């Protein structure tokens, strides 16, 4: 039978990353306190009350989705840059880029009667072959207890190493059963999907996904988070939202670091900087030396 390893929030980064490398998935137990989950739940409630059900064969018909969480929930803001989460992103995503960003935020409330979602890989969003590294990684924070009955996410451990066309046998699929406040992490290349809700109450979870800093964000965070809100956030979070330059020169504004939009340092027609990785410096220095000598 397939299994998901659950580790305590105190588990070392090395062990957590090792499990994810092997299985493509892990649960970190009780990262948020009961009090934090309660606040998160109350921050999400008015948005779930306002939003209609999705209507799509992928998103479901009895499921509600709320995005823009980096602007809507202070608890999500701190979850996005939780050190245990960023340690995983550092380990996997920095193999494929010089800096990563948030791909999307989405609170997902699977309502009673919703059938199981199709098993899929989220990284199909980025349609290129990338065997050397992951393009994206997901976190699913349990706002309710996730149970087999209420729609805990299905995953197929090990499927991140499968040929793209291999489909899982029923015994290879397992649900991410976890207590509220826990977080399920899975690689973008892992087969998974939302579960069927066979109870009479919704199942709420919060997805934050992260991707390589040179890929497009599924939910453009500069647009999703109004600038007045972004301005007040901690710098680490501003960077993860996408206010940084991916060297060389990807994402600069006016030839400047886009974080200047938040700090007030960005000037129109100001000094047009270059943002270059260290390893190209010798090549440039050599070129200048040759020019001088000529
Ligand atoms: O809600 C879930 O458990 C997972 C949803 C999912 O995988 C998706 O919508 O891409
Ligand atoms: Fe998914």
């Amino acid at each position: 039978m397939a299994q998901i390893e659950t580790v305590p929030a105190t588990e070392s980064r090395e062990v957590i990353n090792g499990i994810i490398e092997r299985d493509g998935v892990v649960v970190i137990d009780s990262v948020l306190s009961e009090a934090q989950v309660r606040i998160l739940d109350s921050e999400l409630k008015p948005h779930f009350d306002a939003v209609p059900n999705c209507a799509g064969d992928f998103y479901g018909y009895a499921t509600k989705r709320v995005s823009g969480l980096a602007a809507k929930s202070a608890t999500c803001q701190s979850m996005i840059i939780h050190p245990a989460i960023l340690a995983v992103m550092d380990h996997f995503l920095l193999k494929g880029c010089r800096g990563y960003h948030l791909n999307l935020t989405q609170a997902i409330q699977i309502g009673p009667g919703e059938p199981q979602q199709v098993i899929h890989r989220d990284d199909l969003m980025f349609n290129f072959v990338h065997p050397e590294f992951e393009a994206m990684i997901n976190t699913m924070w349990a706002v309710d207890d996730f149970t087999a009955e209420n729609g805990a996410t299905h995953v197929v451990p090990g499927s991140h190493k499968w040929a793209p066309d291999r489909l899982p046998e029923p015994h290879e699929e397992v649900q991410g059963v976890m207590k509220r406040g826990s977080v399920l992490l899975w690689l973008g290349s892992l087969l998974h999907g939302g579960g069927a809700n066979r109870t009479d109450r919704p199942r709420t979870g919060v997805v934050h996904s992260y991707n390589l800093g040179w890929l497009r964000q599924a939910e453009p965070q500069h647009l999703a988070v109004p600038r007045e809100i972004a301005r007040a956030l901690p710098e680490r979070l501003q960077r993860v939202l996408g206010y940084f330059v991916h060297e060389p020169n990807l994402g600069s504004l006016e030839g400047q670091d886009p974080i200047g939009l938040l700090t007030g340092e960005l000037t129109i027609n100001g000094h047009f900087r270059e943002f270059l990785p260290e390893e190209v410096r010798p090549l440039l220095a050599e070129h200048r030396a040759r020019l001088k000598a000529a």
Side-chain angles (χ1 to χ4, degrees):
M1 265 315 263
Q3 264 194 22
I4 303 175
E5 269 211 42
T6 298
V7 299
T10 51
E11 189 53 273
S12 75
R13 286 151 193 228
E14 291 71 27
V15 168
I16 291 174
N17 289 333
I19 294 169
I20 299 175
E21 238 150 49
R22 187 193 63 202
D23 298 342
V25 58
V26 74
V27 169
I28 310 179
D29 184 46
S30 303
V31 179
L32 301 178
S33 68
E34 181 56 30
Q36 286 173 307
V37 179
R38 253 190 248 128
I39 294 169
L40 173 60
D41 208 359
S42 66
E43 289 167 347
L44 297 175
K45 188 172 184 310
H47 301 290
F48 278 125
D49 287 348
V51 79
N53 280 342
C54 296
D57 292 336
F58 182 72
Y59 282 152
Y61 294 87
T63 293
K64 290 182 170 187
R65 294 175 191 254
V66 170
S67 60
L69 302 179
K72 293 175 181 167
S73 157
T75 309
C76 287
Q77 289 166 357
S78 56
M79 285 150 60
I80 290 165
I81 50 168
H82 191 291
I85 301 298
L86 294 188
V88 171
M89 302 310 152
D90 285 352
H91 179 76
F92 288 94
L93 294 180
L94 294 180
K95 286 181 182 153
C97 66
R98 298 174 198 277
Y100 53 83
H101 48 200
L102 200 58
N103 180 44
L104 63 79
T105 63
Q106 201 173 102
I108 305 179
Q109 188 167 81
I110 300 182
E114 183 73 86
Q116 186 180 338
Q117 189 184 33
V118 66
I119 291 283
H120 61 277
R121 291 186 165 90
D122 284 338
D123 70 0
L124 283 178
M125 187 177 266
F126 306 111
N127 192 14
F128 69 109
V129 180
H130 48 88
E132 309 296 322
F133 50 79
E134 288 296 319
M136 63 177 289
I137 302 183
N138 289 302
T139 61
M140 166 68 93
W141 298 80
V143 182
D144 295 310
D145 288 336
F146 272 37
T147 68
E149 295 71 37
N150 76 359
T153 313
H154 289 245
V155 298
V156 183
S159 59
H160 59 308
K161 295 178 179 163
W162 291 7
D165 53 352
R166 177 171 161 192
L167 293 172
E169 304 288 334
H171 70 274
E172 292 173 307
E173 226 172 281
V174 60
Q175 283 183 270
V177 169
M178 56 181 166
K179 292 199 292 282
R180 66 199 233 124
S182 306
V183 58
L184 173 78
L185 291 106
W186 75 92
L187 300 177
S189 58
L190 194 85
L191 289 169
H192 72 282
N197 189 343
R198 294 183 296 271
T199 71
D200 56 5
R201 295 166 59 88
R203 181 232 71 180
T204 303
V206 164
V207 171
H208 295 149
S209 96
Y210 304 76
N211 67 349
L212 303 175
W214 47 268
L215 287 171
R216 187 168 182 193
Q217 295 168 306
E219 176 191 35
Q221 297 298 316
H222 305 99
L223 300 175
V225 182
R227 209 171 293 160
E228 319 78 75
I229 294 179
R231 206 168 268 141
L233 299 175
E235 183 183 344
R236 186 73 188 95
L237 182 52
Q238 293 171 336
R239 296 293 187 189
V240 172
L241 290 180
Y243 288 90
F244 71 100
V245 178
H246 192 284
E247 295 170 350
N249 297 327
L250 186 63
S252 75
L253 271 184
E254 296 280 327
Q256 297 160 53
D257 184 339
I259 205 157
L261 271 184
L262 304 181
T263 60
E265 282 159 299
L266 190 121
T267 51
I268 306 299
N269 297 331
H271 172 55
F272 206 104
R273 269 189 61 190
E274 48 190 26
F275 296 84
L276 301 175
E278 273 315 302
E279 56 269 32
V280 308
R281 293 274 168 211
L283 187 77
L284 291 174
E286 220 172 274
H287 179 67
R288 292 227 51 96
R290 253 201 316 271
L291 290 177
K292 236 186 226 159

